[in-house]
């Protein structure tokens, strides 16, 4: 890893630890984009989890096209600057054993305080059958961030996003 990669991975770790919402980007079958904020949790395998209604636009888009984008960013940066972690991913609705595991992970990560988790917890059956709400999981295929080194041709005048060697496994250490 280069120094820039180290810096970017450090920023990515800090963003992931400090943000409770991500922006989810989806597209309709007609390629009409849609973005929405969702409360999220993540695991150590580069998977992100959230709850959504089956009839929301982003959920309908995922049913038709599982390719999604994720953005986690500091919405309150000091001095006007800020970092963002971008990701490409494949999303799915969780069912069966994956739903039970995803539900447990979502609530454990989202509500680390046990007394809060007990109050907020909903069991897997609340996200199955006739329920209008589901738990979704997106498997990240690539992460990127804006390069601190600037654009290779235009320098600091143009933002330049670079793929980074980041993984949520780095947060387990």
């Amino acid at each position: 890893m280069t120094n820039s990669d180290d810096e970017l991975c450090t920023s990515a770790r800090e963003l992931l630890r400090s943000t409770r919402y991500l922006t989810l980007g989806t597209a309709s079958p007609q390629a009409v984009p849609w973005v929405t904020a969702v409360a999220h949790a993540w695991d150590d395998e580069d998977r992100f989890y959230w709850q959504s209604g089956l009839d929301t636009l982003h959920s309908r888009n995922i049913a038709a096209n599982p390719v999604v984008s994720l953005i986690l960013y500091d919405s309150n940066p000091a001095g006007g600057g800020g970092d963002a972690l971008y990701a490409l991913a494949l999303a799915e609705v969780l069912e069966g054993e994956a739903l039970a595991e995803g539900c447990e992970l979502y609530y454990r990560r989202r509500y680390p305080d046990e007394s809060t988790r007990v109050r907020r917890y909903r069991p897997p059956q609340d996200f199955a059958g006739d329920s209008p709400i589901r738990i979704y999981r997106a498997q990240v295929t690539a992460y990127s961030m804006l390069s601190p080194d600037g654009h290779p041709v235009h320098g600091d005048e143009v933002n330049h996003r670079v793929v980074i060697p980041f993984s949520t496994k780095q947060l387990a250490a």
Side-chain angles (χ1 to χ4, degrees):
M1 262 195 300
T2 67
N3 284 343
S4 292
D5 285 344
D6 286 339
E7 290 173 30
L8 292 173
C9 287
T10 297
S11 293
R13 285 190 297 274
E14 290 171 5
L15 277 169
L16 198 50
R17 286 185 178 122
S18 66
T19 57
R20 297 190 42 85
Y21 294 87
L22 63 78
T23 301
L24 170 69
T26 62
S28 73
Q30 298 77 29
V32 177
W34 181 253
V35 294
T36 191
V38 294
H40 76 281
W42 44 269
D43 66 16
D44 298 335
E45 300 294 327
D46 297 306
R47 296 178 295 205
F48 288 78
Y49 300 79
W50 67 93
Q51 300 175 12
S52 286
L54 279 170
D55 65 348
T56 62
L57 182 55
H58 57 274
S59 294
R60 292 192 319 260
N61 284 348
I62 289 168
N65 176 8
V67 178
V68 299
S69 61
L70 313 173
I71 304 172
L72 294 101
Y73 62 95
D74 180 357
S75 62
N76 233 354
D83 288 326
L85 176 63
Y86 303 87
L88 293 176
L90 293 174
E92 64 182 334
V93 173
L94 296 182
E95 298 175 341
E97 190 174 313
L99 171 59
E101 291 169 4
C103 190
E104 291 300 319
L105 183 133
Y106 177 84
Y107 283 100
R108 186 176 66 254
R109 178 79 70 184
R110 195 83 190 127
Y111 304 104
D113 175 70
E114 189 172 349
S115 63
T116 302
R117 185 170 49 248
V118 166
R119 283 193 328 273
R120 301 296 304 248
Y121 183 80
R122 294 175 67 181
Q125 59 265 29
D126 284 4
F127 303 98
D130 292 337
S131 174
I133 300 170
R134 295 293 188 265
I135 292 185
Y136 288 79
R137 175 175 63 198
Q139 176 69 57
V140 172
T141 57
Y143 291 102
S144 61
M145 293 185 82
L146 294 180
S147 172
D149 301 327
H151 191 278
V153 174
H154 305 291
D156 292 336
E157 293 191 31
V158 176
N159 287 332
H160 175 61
R161 203 168 359 149
V162 293
V163 173
I164 61 169
F166 178 73
S167 173
T168 54
K169 288 179 180 136
Q170 295 174 15
L171 291 136

